[in-house]
Amino acid sequence: MTVATAPLRILIGKVGLDGHDRGVKLIARALRDAGMEVIYTGLHQSPEQIVNTAIQEDVDAIGLSVLSGAHNTLFRRVLELLRAQGADDIVVFGGGIIPNEDVPALKGAGVKALFGPGTPLDDIVRFVKELPRSR
Amino acid sequence: MTRFGIHLNKLDKQVDSASTLAELVKQGQVRAVARLITLLERGEQEGHDALRLLEVDAPRAAIIGVTGYPGAGKSTVVDQLVAAYRRLGHKVGVLAVDMTSPLTGGALLGDRIRMQRHTLDQGVYIRSLATRGHHGGLAAVTGEAVSVLEAAGYDVIFIETVGVGQGELDIATVAPAVVAIVAPGLGDEVQAMKAGLLEVAHVIVVNKGDHPEADRTLRELKEWHRSVLKVTAMTGQGIPELIAAIAEQQRLHDLEGAPTRAAP
């Protein structure tokens, strides 16, 4: 298998306390069906768990779902931990209930993309597929 | 965290050589371990070069295969075994294999959901592997990934196969101790197992031991296999006995210098 055909590896999970995983499971399935290897972590992950998992699994990107309102804290913590471990080449994107006014600051902090409710699955799949393959 | 001290993404750009990677793996740097497995999965030359450098003085780990029917509780048993071997002071690696879809090439790798409590334990490394078209119940890279983990200092390594039927028995060629997990209420499937799991497994575990059918399944399997145990992985009941059975198999393996047959 050559570099060009190696499947992307994507971590999909939920950080924080909310237990609504229907959306995140849909995303996981859509990415799998688009030919990617999806490491699904399930609910209630801490940023530390997400980052350790991402490093152990050597993923290309992390997609997080947050519906609890704690997105500002959680995304920033994930980015911070990735930087601390020299793993900030791993792309972070997300979705969930994230108010428009919070989006620019999160993107400024390093979140590559945020997908709100009603985003077509194809848009998310296309975004992940088109991520630059730096490694 | 200083554990990952050297920044591998910088290494990628600057001194991304096989020998540097091998050196970092020997130091037990998790990111280097993970990256090397990826390179080997992709069949890249750099990965093979690094692996060759590692195998010179690779220590010998205890390699434990865990196989069984889908839904029997393989990942939950592995989770309990990881906890137990950690209590015994071992550094534990887990390679959890799931199927790649032959239609899309994608895979949903969810075995580690059952092992989340070990995610923050620095003495545990868990890697999900997709089969990527390889048949036999394992990923093609499995054997090489074991070597990487050995070199990184993991002294107990679990290999969890895909959910198997009768034909996925490659685990017998990579693990000197193979544990097969079955759920109670097998019925006629015991007949099918005679050519398959029962032949390659050294220890058979009837999981979900609190199920009303568990004792009957245990009895039936004992007619065909010398080492059958009842475990309730959700509570940890029977795990110490399972560890003793694995140790016994490892001792036999060491004595004979080759995998022992599983016949009664």
Side-chain angles (χ1 to χ4, degrees), chain B residues 18-29:
Chain B
S19 61
T20 311
L21 191 57
E23 195 46 49
L24 291 172
V25 168
K26 278 188 210 168
Q27 290 168 15
Q29 295 262 358

Side-chain angles (χ1 to χ4, degrees), chain A residues 10-16 18 20 23-25 27-28 31 39-51 53-54 59 61-68 70-71 73-82 90-98 106 111-116 124 127-128:
Chain A
I10 314 292
L11 185 158
I12 295 291
K14 278 193 67 77
V15 274
D18 78 272
H20 304 280
V24 78
K25 280 179 172 163
I27 306 293
L31 295 178
I39 292 96
Y40 180 61
T41 66
L43 295 168
H44 306 312
Q45 298 295 293
S46 68
E48 286 78 5
Q49 285 177 305
I50 291 290
V51 169
T53 301
V59 296
I62 299 173
L64 299 175
S65 158
V66 185
L67 291 92
S68 64
H71 45 273
T73 319
L74 292 168
F75 277 108
R76 282 198 172 79
R77 183 76 182 132
V78 167
L79 292 162
E80 190 181 299
L81 289 166
L82 284 172
I90 298 174
V91 170
V92 176
F93 66 98
I97 310 293
I98 293 158
L106 282 173
V111 178
K112 185 98 174 173
L114 288 163
F115 300 101
I124 301 171
F127 161 80
V128 178

Side-chain angles (χ1 to χ4, degrees), chain A residues 1-3 6-7 9 28 32-33 35-42 45 48-49 52-53 55-58 60 83-90 135, chain B residues 1 4 7-9 12 30-31 34-35 38 41-44 100 104-110 112-113 116 119-120 122 124-128 130 132:
Chain A
M1 185 161 313
T2 66
V3 184
R9 290 172 65 86
R32 178 200 64 185
D33 291 346
M36 298 170 204
E37 292 182 359
V38 178
I39 292 96
Y40 180 61
T41 66
Q45 298 295 293
E48 286 78 5
Q49 285 177 305
N52 277 14
T53 301
I55 287 172
Q56 290 183 17
E57 297 284 0
D58 195 29
D60 300 281
R83 264 195 305 276
Q85 304 210 12
D88 46 349
D89 55 322
I90 298 174
R135 51 204 187 103
Chain B
M1 287 200 198
F4 304 95
H7 289 192
L8 274 186
N9 56 342
D12 280 347
V30 175
R31 198 137 205 250
R35 181 61 51 84
T38 301
E41 248 186 331
R42 294 179 185 169
E44 291 193 26
T100 294
T104 66
L108 200 52
L109 307 171
R112 63 180 302 141
I113 292 179
Q116 293 295 12
T119 304
L120 296 180
Q122 309 254 308
V124 178
Y125 175 85
I126 303 171
R127 174 65 174 247
S128 312
R132 296 192 181 180

Side-chain angles (χ1 to χ4, degrees), chain B residues 70-128:
Chain B
K74 293 182 293 297
S75 302
T76 312
V77 170
V78 170
D79 169 69
Q80 289 283 4
L81 288 172
V82 170
Y85 281 100
R86 287 296 291 145
R87 284 195 291 273
L88 294 168
H90 294 287
K91 210 175 152 190
V92 182
V94 179
L95 300 170
V97 187
D98 265 318
M99 277 287 288
T100 294
S101 161
L103 300 179
T104 66
L108 200 52
L109 307 171
D111 287 334
R112 63 180 302 141
I113 292 179
R114 312 266 176 240
M115 310 175 197
Q116 293 295 12
R117 63 173 159 153
H118 304 297
T119 304
L120 296 180
D121 182 346
Q122 309 254 308
V124 178
Y125 175 85
I126 303 171
R127 174 65 174 247
S128 312

